[in-house]
Amino acid sequence: MQLYNLKHPSQVVSFTEAVKLGLGKDRGLFFPTHIPVLEDMETLLSQPFVERSKKVIGAWLASELGQDTVDTLVENAFNFDLPLVKADENRYCLELFHGPTLAFKDFGARFMAQCLNVLAKGEKINILTATSGDTGAAVADAFFGLDAINVVVLYPKGKISLLQEKMFTTLGKNIHTVAIDSDFDACQGLVKQSFEDSEIRDGLHLNSANSINISRLLAQICYYFEAVAQFKRQHDDLPVIAVPSGNFGNLTAGLFAKAMGLPIKYFVAATNSNDTVPRYLAEGQWLPNTTVATMSNAMDVAEPSNWPRVEAIVDKMDWSLADIKGVALSEAQTSRGLRTLHEVGYLSEPHGAIAADALTQIMCAEEKGIFLGTAHPAKFNEVVEAELNIEVPLPEPLAVVVDKTILSIDLSANFSDLKAHLFKILT
Ligand SMILES: *Cc1c(COP(=O)(O)O)cnc(C)c1O
């Protein structure tokens, strides 16, 4: 697989290099020079998830890594269920939250950890990543105990739920966590700045585990195939797919799946009031506002870093941005989304509920849609319990962290403080 830097097209790298580098020159995103198209979709969709995913990922990576290696990566990374559950007459949820940290980020993080473990054998690696909540847990879980790899996670202090925080700040060992006194965009900015700093780059050999890392996106392509496969067992027409979006890695993966030949009617990009993309789609102007805190905090992103990839795919495929339907939901509409689902007997959480409500707003009567269930309701139990007036029992992975101690260090959003801290813990 070859990828080029969207900012400097002359920088061309292999998948192995792209995974290790994370970002290209001048923070440019890596983008594939070629998008493979899969033949015989019918047969492919009839296969079980893991078998099919080997083919989907093999189409990108077999020429570089060999199909046997791809098979092992996929088998090790994807070892949990992803059921398509009917919520009401027109809407289904693809539940992506049955992995070890109860969010869809487990797919990308587990696959990335497998890739790095194989591709960087023996080399010492330092991973620096920012989280709006769920990436931290998924990355920490996926890399915990891998001795050659240190992980540093930055997160916005007080802006993620206590349970989310406990899932990745209580591990210790090779997982270092830093609570930044600001918002997610500031954390993401600090990560980007670290990658640009030559002393850090040369001295610490940093890698990023954010959804700017191409390995995470390849993993996420696979579950779109599963969504359509399960949907097609019940319906002849094509599904609309609504993606609860923050940094837009998830939607990017969906567009890659469609470009590979997966039949999807169209995508709905659903956000909370951090609505840079829906406004851009409606008005044609990219005008990020200041990030606002919402109950769907994993989507509190005003400057989504994967957007250039979305545009690159649309461009390459000769699609139109107008085919992506943008919907931004207020907090009141998010509550409505949660309550409406609960009334028909489906328990969701704010992120999934936003996508579900967006489907209702966009679809016409004869269309059917799938919304991505990106997190387990218990992960957002405070909001869910308050909104629905119910009790949400804690599943095992959450119950075990409740009483553990948070081991994070507090830092301001000042780059030089972070730099000093990184050298202290990583050298
Ligand atoms: C990360 C996250 C999102 C947003 O996904 P992006 O790929 O950043 O757009 C949505 N929901 C949950 C629960 C998340 O953790």
Side-chain angles (χ1 to χ4, degrees):
M1 179 182 190
Q2 290 215 307
L3 303 105
Y4 68 97
N5 179 338
L6 284 175
K7 277 199 185 152
H8 292 277
S10 62
Q11 186 187 11
V12 177
V13 297
S14 66
F15 173 74
T16 306
E17 289 167 309
V19 173
K20 289 199 216 167
L21 286 171
L23 281 171
K25 200 173 142 207
D26 283 341
R27 303 176 179 184
L29 296 166
F30 288 120
F31 190 82
T33 52
H34 166 77
I35 300 178
V37 176
L38 293 168
E39 305 295 328
D40 198 2
M41 194 54 62
E42 201 115 317
T43 309
L44 196 65
L45 290 179
S46 70
Q47 294 180 324
F49 176 63
V50 172
E51 288 315 304
R52 182 193 320 112
S53 298
K54 291 174 184 173
K55 301 216 169 77
V56 171
I57 296 208
W60 299 92
L61 298 184
S63 61
E64 181 174 333
L65 306 181
Q67 186 65 45
D68 287 351
T69 302
V70 171
D71 291 354
T72 311
L73 295 174
V74 169
E75 277 166 18
N76 290 343
F78 299 163
N79 57 355
F80 47 91
D81 290 338
L82 59 165
L84 184 73
V85 177
K86 187 167 185 168
D88 60 22
E89 260 329 292
N90 302 317
R91 299 181 300 175
Y92 291 77
C93 181
L94 183 70
E95 295 189 345
L96 298 170
F97 49 76
H98 297 289
T101 72
L102 307 177
F104 81 105
K105 302 238 165 55
D106 283 323
F107 284 92
R110 290 178 64 79
F111 186 72
M112 180 177 169
Q114 293 300 322
C115 287
L116 269 184
N117 210 24
V118 169
L119 302 180
K121 261 222 151 9
E123 286 170 51
K124 193 136 185 62
I125 293 177
N126 292 314
I127 289 178
L128 176 66
T129 195
T131 184
S132 55
D134 294 323
T135 295
V139 169
D141 180 86
F143 287 93
F144 182 57
L146 295 180
D147 289 338
I149 305 182
N150 269 303
V151 176
V152 182
V153 183
L154 311 185
Y155 64 101
K157 186 177 167 70
K159 295 201 168 68
I160 67 175
S161 81
L162 186 59
L163 278 172
Q164 279 183 315
E165 188 173 9
K166 291 231 167 180
M167 281 194 98
F168 66 95
T169 60
T170 59
L171 292 164
K173 283 196 180 159
N174 61 328
I175 310 297
H176 311 270
T177 53
V178 183
I180 299 288
D181 196 11
S182 189
D183 56 26
F184 171 70
D185 285 291
C187 296
Q188 188 156 255
L190 285 170
V191 170
K192 287 182 179 162
Q193 214 174 338
S194 304
F195 276 88
E196 280 186 344
D197 185 287
S198 56
E199 282 169 25
I200 293 184
R201 210 175 41 230
D202 301 339
L204 298 178
H205 300 290
L206 280 195
N207 191 301
S208 157
N210 273 65
S211 56
I212 49 177
N213 196 295
I214 193 70
S215 61
R216 284 185 45 174
L217 297 186
L218 291 192
Q220 291 176 247
I221 292 172
C222 298
Y223 56 66
Y224 285 93
F225 281 81
E226 181 65 14
V228 174
Q230 292 191 40
F231 183 85
K232 277 191 136 308
R233 280 172 215 145
Q234 303 172 55
H235 302 284
D236 291 328
D237 41 0
L238 306 185
V240 175
I241 299 189
V243 185
S245 296
N247 223 2
F248 281 80
N250 211 355
L251 181 68
T252 304
L255 291 167
F256 274 132
K258 187 170 166 134
M260 293 178 81
L262 183 67
I264 292 167
K265 193 157 186 194
Y266 59 87
F267 286 99
V268 180
T271 71
N272 57 31
S273 42
N274 295 287
D275 59 351
T276 308
V277 166
R279 278 186 294 114
Y280 174 68
L281 290 172
E283 293 156 20
Q285 294 202 53
W286 189 260
L287 297 168
N289 293 328
T290 315
T291 318
V292 293
T294 72
M295 63 178 117
S296 51
N297 61 49
M299 291 157 49
D300 291 349
V301 184
E303 300 194 47
S305 59
N306 269 297
W307 190 256
R309 282 185 172 135
V310 169
E311 298 222 358
I313 300 173
V314 168
D315 225 39
K316 195 174 181 86
M317 301 303 294
D318 253 329
W319 294 338
S320 162
L321 273 182
D323 296 333
I324 301 172
K325 309 291 173 199
V327 184
L329 274 79
S330 65
E331 294 293 88
Q333 289 171 316
T334 306
S335 310
R336 174 185 73 193
L338 258 182
R339 279 197 311 270
T340 314
L341 285 173
H342 191 235
E343 278 157 19
V344 294
Y346 187 79
L347 182 61
S348 188
E349 52 69 50
H351 307 78
I354 282 181
D357 197 79
L359 278 181
T360 305
Q361 292 185 40
I362 291 285
M363 287 195 305
C364 59
E366 54 289 353
E367 287 177 330
K368 296 202 186 306
I370 298 170
F371 61 97
L372 301 186
T374 45
H376 193 291
K379 225 172 167 179
F380 293 89
N381 63 346
E382 287 163 36
V383 176
V384 173
E385 291 182 349
E387 290 292 328
L388 301 177
N389 214 353
I390 55 167
E391 264 195 53
V392 182
L394 290 189
E396 166 87 24
L398 284 172
V400 297
V401 297
V402 169
D403 295 322
K404 291 200 179 156
T405 307
I406 292 174
L407 303 171
S408 302
I409 301 289
D410 287 349
L411 284 182
S412 73
N414 190 318
F415 178 63
S416 53
D417 291 351
L418 174 68
K419 185 168 169 178
H421 183 63
L422 290 177
F423 275 97
K424 190 171 122 204
I425 58 176
L426 298 176
T427 53

